[in-house]
Amino acid sequence: MITLDAIRQPVTKELDAYEAFLERQFTAEGDLLNNMLRHALSSRGKGVRPMLVALSAAMNARTSGATGSPRVSLAAMLVEMIHTASLIHDDVIDESDERRGRPSANAIWQSHKAVLLGDYILARNMSIGFESGQFDLVAHICGRMATLCEGELLQADCASKQNMTRNTYLDIIYKKTATLLGVSASAGALAVGATRDKVTTMRRFGEALGMAFQIQDDILDYTPNAETGKPRGNDLREGKITLPLLILLDRADDACRNALLDQLRRCHEDESQVEEIQRIVLDEGALQEAQLVMQGYIERAVRMLSEYPDTPYRTSLIHLCSFVAERNK
Ligand code: FPP
Ligand code: MG
């Protein structure tokens, strides 16, 4: 399988510049906040969003000098810190104790402090953005934060009412995940002054990739040998109906559907129900069917790149699509 290091290779210099920029900008006063911020920054994960910004910037730049500009580092910081803050809040909402193989902020400092850490990161992100004077980038990126909240709220509402449909599921994952990947890819193009059409193409590319990314995330929650660093089966414990279970529910007659929903309601306190639903999902081939849906989005994403010439940047973005489809972490 293609590695993230290989994908990152054509923009290593730009990503190193971004890391140095982030270290300089993101500092905190006081021991507690400083420790919390270090924890958040040192457990950032795969860095898919900054990579998307840098590769898109390089692919859309008219001169090579533009690819490592401070605007690219700023765009990468804005998207990655929104993502970081949203996961800190997400772990509070989901009551999840583990993220990327490490204790979550709420597990270490309790929920009320974790919420404040997420708020602090968002507030610092906005002020660094405004101080930079790059208002087009700040508006482009931060203007979509509300969409993430809409997705998360819609998801919470569906989990409590258990009234998920395929369209609602797609709407949720578009809002909570695909939007920010679309923003990342298009912000890279915007940062280097690409035309409006190219910015739109990159947004569509990132959004298709983001849909696939979240579907794969939802598949991995059911996959026995996944290495996500998150507890497997959490979606069921939280009462979330994601694509694999939705596929089963769509196929089932009324009696089976009601039985499955009843089991789902008991997942929060009964681990045997989690295991039972996981077993049915695997036995019924629902993961393979979900993979086909995911693959459709990957193909859409790759098609969006066909208007670009063949360069190492485009190749890396195509490889990123394969990575998302094949990843088990
Ligand atoms: C992870 O989903 C969560 C998201 C992609 C979005 C979270 C958004 C919010 C909490 C809204 C607040 C937004 C901001 C900007 C602070 P998941 O729970 O399916 O994935 P997981 O398994 O990784 O937890
Ligand atoms: Mg979660």
Side-chain angles (χ1 to χ4, degrees), residues 95-197:
E95 297 172 6
S96 185
D97 287 344
E98 203 183 338
R99 169 77 59 188
R100 296 162 181 150
R102 298 180 64 185
S104 59
N106 46 306
I108 304 176
W109 292 285
Q110 299 181 308
S111 292
H112 61 293
K113 292 201 188 87
V115 168
L116 289 168
L117 172 64
D119 290 344
Y120 179 81
I121 290 173
L122 286 178
R124 289 279 296 140
N125 210 33
M126 292 291 279
S127 61
I128 296 167
F130 282 124
E131 279 159 21
S132 75
Q134 309 293 322
F135 301 120
D136 60 335
L137 280 178
V138 178
H140 183 83
I141 298 168
C142 300
R144 297 308 299 273
M145 281 194 307
T147 310
L148 271 72
C149 302
E150 284 166 28
E152 195 73 6
L153 259 175
L154 192 54
Q155 173 175 274
D157 197 37
C158 285
S160 53
K161 292 184 185 146
Q162 288 201 328
N163 60 351
M164 186 67 86
T165 63
R166 184 76 75 113
N167 276 346
T168 309
Y169 170 77
L170 294 176
D171 192 27
I172 289 170
I173 68 169
Y174 173 77
K175 287 176 170 153
K176 75 171 192 175
T177 303
T179 299
L180 195 57
L181 271 82
V183 163
S184 306
S186 53
L190 184 67
V192 295
T195 62
R196 190 190 284 231
D197 281 356

Side-chain angles (χ1 to χ4, degrees), residues 47-101:
V48 167
R49 290 155 193 82
M51 218 184 300
L52 262 180
V53 172
L55 286 167
S56 167
M59 189 173 73
N60 283 284
R62 275 166 255 176
T63 61
S64 60
T67 67
S69 77
R71 269 169 71 78
V72 176
S73 291
L74 177 73
M77 181 201 77
L78 291 173
V79 295
E80 195 174 36
M81 290 301 104
I82 290 172
H83 175 60
T84 301
S86 75
L87 291 187
I88 292 170
H89 284 177
D90 186 66
D91 286 335
V92 171
I93 296 166
D94 294 348
E95 297 172 6
S96 185
D97 287 344
E98 203 183 338
R99 169 77 59 188
R100 296 162 181 150

Side-chain angles (χ1 to χ4, degrees), residues 219 247 281-294:
I219 291 172
I247 287 168
V281 163
L282 287 176
D283 289 355
E284 293 294 317
L287 293 189
Q288 283 88 333
E289 203 175 315
Q291 262 153 6
L292 288 179
V293 179
M294 189 257 304

Side-chain angles (χ1 to χ4, degrees), residues 90 94 155 159 169 176 214-222 230-245 264 267-268 274 278:
D90 186 66
D94 294 348
Q155 173 175 274
Y169 170 77
K176 75 171 192 175
Q214 187 59 50
I215 294 173
Q216 182 64 4
D217 205 68
D218 294 340
I219 291 172
L220 289 176
D221 199 63
Y222 284 88
K230 308 182 273 196
R232 176 174 169 255
N234 254 8
D235 288 344
L236 289 171
R237 286 180 207 103
E238 291 153 22
K240 276 191 213 160
I241 301 176
T242 63
L243 190 57
L245 181 56
L264 177 64
C267 282
H268 190 60
V274 176
Q278 282 172 337

